[in-house]
Each structure stands twice: as structure tokens, then as C-alpha cells.
Amino acid sequence: MLATNYRGPYRIRASQKPDPVIEHPGDAIVRVTRACICGSDLHLYHGLVPDTRVGHTFGHEFVGIVEEVGSAVETLKPGDRVLVPFNIFCGSCFFCQRELYSNCHNTNAEATAAGGGIYGYSHTTGGYDGGQAEYVRVPMADVGPYKIPEDIVDDDAVLLTDALPTGYQAAEMGDIKEGDTVVVFGAGPVGIFAARSAWLFGAGRVIVVDHVDYRLDFVRRYAPCEIINFREVNDMAMHIKKMTDWLGADVCIDAVGCEAAGSLAQTITGRWTMLQAGSATALFWAINSVRKGGNVSIVGVYGPTFNAVPIGNALNKGLTMRMNQAAVKRHVPHLIEHIRQGHLNPKEIITHRVPLEEVSDAYHIFSSKYDNCIKTVLIPPRAGSARATASSIIS
Ligand code: NAD
Ligand code: ZN
């Protein structure tokens, strides 16, 4: 089959690999019809995630058709159209029983990892092959996959595997109260969905911070919200305080993670990807811009060893901080209702539909923020009718 093939930092291509096979009676094989590239994939692509092995198949956001099931699978059959949450989870351990699916105890053998298994996300999350491929092996197939209702189109469904539930959980973890001012750092897919979701939780005002103008323009209309280009601001915390009667925001959401731009060190060195464990600028800004007693919600991804955060400021301000990888499946049923009611239109953020063969260009364009790219969907050769919507990224 054709699948992504990681060759080293900034080098990825599509190449032929053996088809996956059923390895356990609980497995299914899914023929992928759409797979997105996520901001988390950029951390892999930029070489920031430890134990990302050459040859690894990336991709944790995909939907497809069940091709084959193992003898123990009871709820799926060949031909079912499924969305597959990015978390691989057992459904029965201490953590899964509490719906902490991203923290499953049984799907990631890495002794030091706090997280569970994730498709296509290095050996630090279990070493599972991902879905930026024609086929993918789905372990514990009775637990993770969700049959897509007839009235939900694939373009919406693929955003339910990660970006939308993650943005939604970011807002949920912010514990937004009626009328709250919510500041979202990052206008990528996750930040866009966090901003939009903040209204569903009762926000009275939503402000989004980024430095990429086309993304700020998009989120201003889509969320809708106020925007700040941080390149135009000298002191972020002071700027937010000035906008909020000198109190600070009630809730700040970090939807940026370890590759934040805008740090002093970056300005000096200009080589931010070389900074060990990346840069926590957005997290600094979130902690310093929220009011005393406020809430900071973190979904931007940080490496496990990163610890240079202004923890003293957080303590002195009496902050409540919540963070996690999203527990995708917990959110899918109510997000489907929001889509049906027209409160959320996930597929509107898709800017590129690209044949899987062009994965190298697709990563380059998403990483470089070229061509007004917000969300890219890769379409494999055997995706059936979906293939007709794919078009070459470089003309
Ligand atoms: P993305 O790369 O498309 O978007 C990140 C945005 O942040 C970009 O638009 C960038 O310009 C902006 N940015 C950079 N520095 C900034 C700063 N200092 N302040 C404000 N904005 C800044 O990625 P995405 O797909 O939206 O994902 C965002 C983050 O969420 C990533 O770290 C990703 O790994 C993480 N993520 C977490 C989960 C989870 O379950 N917790 C799931 C998906 C993604
Ligand atoms: Zn993702």
C-alpha cells in the first residue's frame, strides 16, 4: 500500500509499504478515505518528538471503511464507515472507566509516558502505524472507532477524530462561566475550534491571538471573535489587561504548544526549532494574561521534560490549570448534535484536499503557513469517490 514514510526532520514522503494485517482477534483493518495533517504532526515533522523512527507512518486523524475484522470483533463489520479517535484505548482500565481515554493504562508500554497510545505518533506513544496511508490496523476495534451516522459527511467526521473535540475540550477545561472573557492563543485548527466552542460554554467575549494574518482573518469571521496580532503588541499581558478593565482575562487557552513563536530567545537566535524542548511563549502569555483566580487550559502539546514555565506566577495568582490530550470519543456524540443543529461547521476550516502521493508538499505548505493553509486533508489512491475532490497542491 501507499503510506507516509518519515525520513528525518523536514523529510517525509509517500512510499510503498506492506499492507497491515490482523495481528490480534480484536483488530480491524480500515481502508482510509481521508486523513488530516495536524499541528501535532508538525512537532514530529520538525524532529522535536523523541523516538520518532525513520520509516514511521504518521497520521492520527482519519476516517474510512472497515475492510476486515478480527474474530473477536463484535460491533463492526466490513463496509462500515467509521471515524477513528486519535487515542488508542482499552475502554476498561481505571482511567478509561473515568472517560480519560487519552490516559489509557494499557495501550502504551512506555514506562515513563503518562499518555496512552496514539496512532502514528512515534514510539513514545506506542509506535502504532498511523492513518496517512491507504490502510491502517485499528487495535481494540470494538472500543475506539465510531460508526459515522448517515447524515454526517466524511469531511465533518474527520475533524471529529481530533481537532474539533480538542478545541471543544480546551473550552470545557477552561470552566467558562456565563459572560467570561476568554483569550485563545493560537489560530490553528485547534484554536479556531476552541474559540468557536467558547461561545457554546457561555463566553461573553472571545479574543484570539496569533501572528499569521490569514488565520486571524479566518477566525475573526468563523468564531466570531476579536483578534490580536502579537507582532503588533509589545507586552502581551499588559495588552490583555488593558482590554479587560485591568483585571486580565477570566480564561486563557494555550492552543499553540511547544513551537510557539515570539520568544526573546527566538528573536535573538532566530533558530527556534533548535531550542531544547521548544518554547513555551504562549503558555507564559496565558499565565500572565489571565486574571488572579482565573483558569488556564492547555491543549498545546509540550514535550514530557519541558518545565521552564512561570510556575511561581501561577501559584501567586491562585490559578486553576487544566490540561490533557483530548478524550475524543467522550465528545463525539454531543459534537454530532452541535453539527446537526448548525452550531458547528467543522469542514469549513478545510483549505486543501491533496492526493496522498503529495504528502511531502502538503507538510511543507502546512508547516510554512503558505497558500492560506489551515487544514489539509490527504486522500489516498483507493479512497473511492473522495479521490475526485483531491487536487494537486503545486500547480
Ligand atoms: P497549528 O500549527 O496549525 O496552529 C498553531 C498556531 O499557533 C499557528 O497558527 C501559529 O502561528 C500560532 N502561534 C505560534 N506562536 C504563537 C504564540 N506565541 N501565540 C499565539 N499563537 C502562536 O496547530 P493546531 O493543529 O491548531 O494545533 C495546535 C496545538 O495543539 C499543537 O501544539 C498541537 O500539537 C496541539 N494539539 C493537542 C491536542 C490534544 O489533544 N491536547 C490535539 C491536537 C493538537
Ligand atoms: Zn491531531
Side-chain angles (χ1 to χ4, degrees):
M1 67 164 179
L2 195 69
T4 54
N5 185 339
Y6 175 70
R7 308 310 301 158
Y10 292 89
R11 292 176 62 212
I12 192 162
R13 59 174 176 252
S15 59
Q16 288 296 323
K17 290 183 179 175
D19 287 353
V21 292
I22 301 278
E23 293 176 17
H24 181 279
D27 289 350
I29 304 295
V30 169
R31 175 169 58 84
V32 177
T33 52
R34 277 168 180 74
C36 290
I37 306 178
C38 175
S40 298
D41 291 324
L42 294 181
H43 310 320
L44 295 172
Y45 177 64
H46 295 156
L48 290 174
V49 180
D51 209 2
T52 305
R53 300 186 189 173
V54 169
H56 194 43
T57 303
F58 291 178
H60 57 269
E61 305 185 0
F62 57 93
V63 296
I65 309 287
V66 176
E67 185 85 3
E68 188 186 347
V69 293
S71 57
V73 175
E74 293 175 353
T75 57
L76 293 182
K77 57 179 186 326
D80 284 344
R81 195 167 65 105
V82 288
L83 68 88
V84 182
F86 76 84
N87 328 103
I88 301 174
F89 57 104
C90 73
S92 51
C93 70
F94 177 93
F95 301 99
C96 285
Q97 280 175 17
R98 286 155 183 78
E99 296 187 316
L100 293 165
Y101 302 132
S102 56
N103 310 105
C104 174
H105 216 42
N106 288 327
T107 53
N108 184 5
E110 276 290 316
T112 53
I118 299 179
Y119 292 96
Y121 210 72
S122 86
H123 278 66
T124 61
T125 67
Y128 299 90
D129 280 336
Q132 290 169 4
E134 286 186 279
Y135 297 97
V136 60
R137 181 178 75 91
V138 171
M140 302 181 196
D142 278 326
V143 184
Y146 190 95
K147 280 190 224 171
I148 304 172
E150 289 235 324
D151 59 333
I152 299 296
V153 298
D154 281 352
D155 279 350
D156 281 332
V158 75
L159 293 166
L160 284 167
T161 62
D162 180 349
L164 177 56
T166 299
Y168 185 85
Q169 185 170 324
E172 181 193 59
M173 290 193 299
D175 196 18
I176 298 166
K177 305 277 185 310
E178 202 68 32
D180 272 358
T181 295
V182 179
V183 176
V184 179
F185 292 93
V190 172
I192 290 169
F193 286 137
R196 176 96 178 207
S197 301
W199 296 113
L200 300 175
F201 287 94
R205 188 176 181 192
V206 179
I207 302 166
V208 175
V209 181
D210 203 298
H211 65 141
V212 178
D213 280 325
Y214 75 82
R215 289 185 166 202
L216 287 169
D217 281 347
F218 180 87
V219 74
R220 180 171 50 76
R221 284 177 279 111
Y222 182 83
C225 61
E226 297 162 64
I227 53 169
I228 298 173
N229 183 328
F230 67 74
R231 300 279 178 211
E232 295 164 5
V233 169
N234 282 329
D235 182 327
M236 181 55 65
M238 200 56 88
H239 190 80
I240 299 286
K241 283 188 181 149
K242 201 169 160 187
M243 293 174 78
T244 52
D245 299 326
W246 297 100
L247 294 176
D250 300 295
V251 178
C252 279
I253 294 174
D254 173 355
V256 179
C258 61
E259 294 194 64
S263 74
L264 182 62
Q266 215 183 92
T267 310
I268 295 167
T269 64
R271 299 178 66 200
W272 51 279
T273 51
M274 302 303 282
L275 294 177
Q276 193 183 12
S279 122
T281 308
L283 183 51
F284 268 68
W285 288 345
I287 291 174
N288 293 337
S289 306
V290 80
R291 68 164 166 76
K292 287 177 267 191
N295 299 340
V296 172
S297 164
I298 308 166
V299 285
V301 160
Y302 291 90
T305 52
F306 194 89
N307 59 10
V309 294
I311 199 73
N313 294 5
L315 179 117
N316 288 338
K317 292 174 83 170
L319 302 189
T320 299
M321 297 175 74
R322 292 190 66 191
M323 58 204 92
N324 211 339
Q325 299 277 359
V328 170
K329 198 163 183 183
R330 179 160 69 81
H331 302 293
V332 170
H334 51 260
L335 289 174
I336 284 179
E337 278 315 309
H338 279 307
I339 292 170
R340 285 186 174 132
Q341 302 295 325
H343 303 149
L344 293 170
N345 310 302
K347 63 178 177 299
E348 284 180 20
I349 77 159
I350 297 173
T351 49
H352 293 72
R353 290 181 179 76
V354 182
L356 178 61
E357 295 88 318
E358 295 181 29
V359 67
S360 169
D361 297 334
Y363 267 80
H364 180 60
I365 281 175
F366 180 55
S367 168
S368 309
K369 315 280 183 281
Y370 287 156
D371 199 26
N372 291 348
C373 183
I374 294 178
K375 194 72 174 172
T376 299
V377 179
L378 299 167
I379 310 209
R382 265 173 276 202
S385 57
R387 186 73 173 172
T389 64
S391 57
S392 204
I393 204 161
I394 295 184
S395 49

